[in-house]
Amino acid sequence: MARHGWAPVGRRWRLAALLGGIAAALAVLVGLLGGPPGGLPGGSPGTSAAPRGTARPYVGWGFTHTRFSADEGAPAATARVRGLLKADGGPAQDQAIMGWGADNPEPSPGHYDFAALDRRIAFVRASGGTPVITLCCAPDWMKGGKSGADNTDWSRSALETAPTPAHYQDFADLAATVARRYPDVHHFLVWNEFKGFWDEAAGRWDYEGYTDLYNLVYRALKRTGEDVLVGGPYLPMVSVAPSDPEASPRLRGDWGAMDQRVLDAFSYWNAHKAGADFTVVDGASYPDGGSPRPDEFSATDKLTAVSAWVRRQTHDLPLWWAEYYVEPGDGDAGWSEPHRVAVQATGMIALVRGGAGSGFYWNPEKRTGPACPGCLWTPTDRADGGRPLPMYALLSRFAAAFPPGTRYRTVPVDPAAASGLRVLGSDRTVLVVNTRDRTTVARVDGGRLTLRPYEVKWLDR
């Protein structure tokens, strides 16, 4: 799936970013002073937070922190984003334990470095968000590399290498250490996209290896507390052209066909998992190769079909999409921002229609610069940064309007215009998306609407 940087960034920020980092560190220190006594392995004290309470297996709609985020930068800009998020109810926020802004958490066996992860989790708390942790990736010494922070290999190929089977338990122990360190984090995702679990010789996913790792992590996490909730397999739901030799004969549509090897991997994990509180997958709406490709709006029907399939396999276990992509390429197809937002809104509607209740937008944040296609806010390197962008308006409104447990209702739509509109409604709110590049006039929910090209409109009921 699309990626927007994975290496840590804390040591390479300019002075403004450094000042922001110092401010964040002070915030963490204040928390530590009021935190629980004692310490965690490596001499690092546990971070302060309210103790866990009753946890539910869903968190709603939020976003993932990537290499650059608002925990660092000019203090005025980072404060602006914190305030923005808090004012909008604090959407759920996901952070990996290594990479994508976090340093190596255990550079050598038993020696920990949680400074960067502490800063990210502190930011989530300060912004009122629900913190979620992705348990990926693994320290070098767990996957054949050298020990020591200075020896960490931040190349993409190294980061995306899985632990060796001999170190699966070491990774599970690290996961448990992370869970104990952040007592207010209830939700944990095990690994990321089966990274390092592709069997080249067999030409398929090493789902046995992943499931062995998952089960050890699951059991280790559950020993840390009854309210720790765990999900997997975080499998990339790759689709292909219907003519592809790996195309599923059953799960297909105008959007393409699922890669049968992915479905086989999911089925094995589902049958052999030690347990799961929710299911996690990710993927793009568009197929991997093949032509002709469906248009960007029709392609989102895949998200509905795959979500429904997963829910059937898991007997309606709560479904999360850890990442969902609706834009071909690496997140910049050259679309205007209204076009991009319209396709994103259509994708989120498609996820809901398939039964998904939680999802995370992969925020392609940049460190600096005026152009940031698809970003939630402007870069925070300057004091005037951290200002909301159109994608943030969509995500925050969607999260507030359609929280977990929403009862969705039928919305009457003019049949003549229905093919060009995507609509989602609850008892209180209706979301309407014009998928056309021209103005559309239609009757929706009893009222007459005029929608600009690619306009996203919210209606109160």
Side-chain angles (χ1 to χ4, degrees):
M1 296 300 102
R3 283 293 181 271
H4 304 278
W6 51 90
V9 300
R11 299 187 180 96
R12 293 188 288 278
W13 273 80
R14 295 183 302 173
L15 177 61
L18 178 61
L19 293 174
I22 292 172
L26 289 173
V28 173
L29 179 60
V30 171
L32 292 176
L33 295 176
L40 292 174
S44 299
T47 54
S48 173
R52 294 190 179 103
T54 301
R56 297 181 178 181
Y58 43 75
V59 293
W61 304 92
F63 65 90
T64 295
H65 290 279
T66 55
R67 183 179 183 185
F68 304 110
S69 197
D71 60 310
E72 290 188 306
T78 59
R80 185 174 292 113
V81 178
R82 287 197 305 271
L84 179 71
L85 293 169
K86 196 164 188 177
D88 287 328
Q93 300 169 44
D94 180 32
Q95 174 62 46
I97 63 170
M98 179 175 175
W100 299 285
D103 290 322
N104 188 336
E106 192 177 0
S108 57
H111 294 82
Y112 301 89
D113 179 3
F114 289 115
L117 189 57
D118 282 353
R119 187 180 62 247
R120 284 280 170 99
I121 298 300
F123 177 86
V124 178
R125 291 170 178 156
S127 63
T130 299
V132 175
I133 288 180
T134 291
L135 296 165
C136 184
C137 293
D140 294 51
W141 61 271
M142 294 186 190
K143 52 195 181 189
K146 297 179 180 179
S147 294
D150 292 340
N151 294 319
T152 300
D153 185 348
W154 288 108
S155 67
R156 182 167 184 166
S157 60
L159 187 68
E160 297 187 353
T161 297
T164 62
H167 289 292
Y168 285 175
Q169 186 60 57
D170 291 320
F171 187 78
D173 293 342
L174 172 59
T177 298
V178 170
R180 288 192 294 269
R181 185 173 187 82
Y182 306 108
D184 57 334
V185 178
H186 301 287
H187 305 90
F188 295 86
L189 317 185
V190 181
W191 207 240
N192 174 303
E193 293 189 332
F194 267 46
K195 285 177 169 54
F197 285 100
W198 177 257
D199 187 331
E200 289 286 354
R204 68 167 177 86
W205 293 106
D206 175 17
Y207 39 75
E208 298 95 341
Y210 170 80
T211 304
D212 287 344
L213 174 68
Y214 174 89
N215 286 342
L216 287 170
V217 173
Y218 176 87
R219 294 186 178 106
L221 288 174
K222 286 297 184 178
R223 287 193 290 270
T224 69
E226 294 181 357
D227 53 356
V228 172
L229 304 182
V230 187
Y234 203 149
L235 181 65
M237 305 303 283
V238 177
S239 55
V240 295
S243 59
D244 192 284
E246 302 296 343
S248 168
R250 295 182 179 84
L251 189 49
R252 57 173 55 213
D254 293 340
W255 46 267
M258 277 299 299
D259 188 321
Q260 185 60 45
R261 295 170 297 183
V262 173
L263 303 185
D264 292 343
F266 185 91
S267 296
Y268 181 90
W269 169 83
N270 192 38
H272 296 87
K273 65 183 183 297
D277 299 294
F278 52 92
T279 313
V280 184
V281 297
D282 87 321
S285 58
Y286 42 86
D288 186 7
S291 61
R293 301 182 97 181
D295 74 81
E296 61 270 28
F297 292 99
S298 298
T300 63
D301 291 340
K302 168 194 169 176
L303 304 178
T304 299
V306 172
S307 295
W309 181 86
V310 170
R311 293 267 289 171
R312 290 194 299 271
Q313 308 312 305
T314 60
H315 305 290
D316 290 335
L317 202 65
L319 172 60
W320 296 27
W321 281 75
E323 305 169 43
Y324 50 93
Y325 300 98
V326 296
E327 194 166 354
D330 196 31
D332 187 3
W335 295 342
S336 66
E337 208 63 10
H339 188 172
R340 179 175 289 107
V341 171
V343 184
Q344 178 71 18
T346 301
M348 296 175 78
I349 291 172
L351 291 171
V352 167
R353 286 178 172 171
S358 299
F360 292 86
Y361 179 73
W362 189 271
N363 185 22
E365 190 63 37
K366 294 185 177 181
R367 183 177 65 179
T368 186
C372 198
C375 293
L376 297 178
W377 50 76
T378 58
T380 56
D381 63 316
R382 295 185 173 188
D384 63 349
R387 299 186 184 279
L389 293 169
M391 194 65 75
Y392 178 80
L394 169 66
L395 179 66
S396 60
R397 185 72 182 269
F398 196 98
F402 305 121
T406 296
R407 298 183 67 180
Y408 295 97
R409 303 299 190 186
T410 300
V411 179
V413 179
D414 181 359
S419 63
L421 302 180
R422 297 292 188 275
V423 181
L424 183 67
S426 67
D427 289 330
R428 301 175 59 184
T429 306
V430 175
L431 169 60
V432 187
V433 182
N434 181 12
T435 67
R436 294 173 172 147
D437 61 358
R438 62 183 184 274
T439 298
T440 296
V441 179
R443 291 191 67 81
V444 178
D445 206 29
R448 187 175 182 272
L449 293 182
T450 299
L451 296 136
R452 298 186 301 274
Y454 300 129
E455 184 176 4
V456 173
K457 187 179 285 288
W458 295 89
L459 309 174
D460 293 327
R461 303 187 91 173

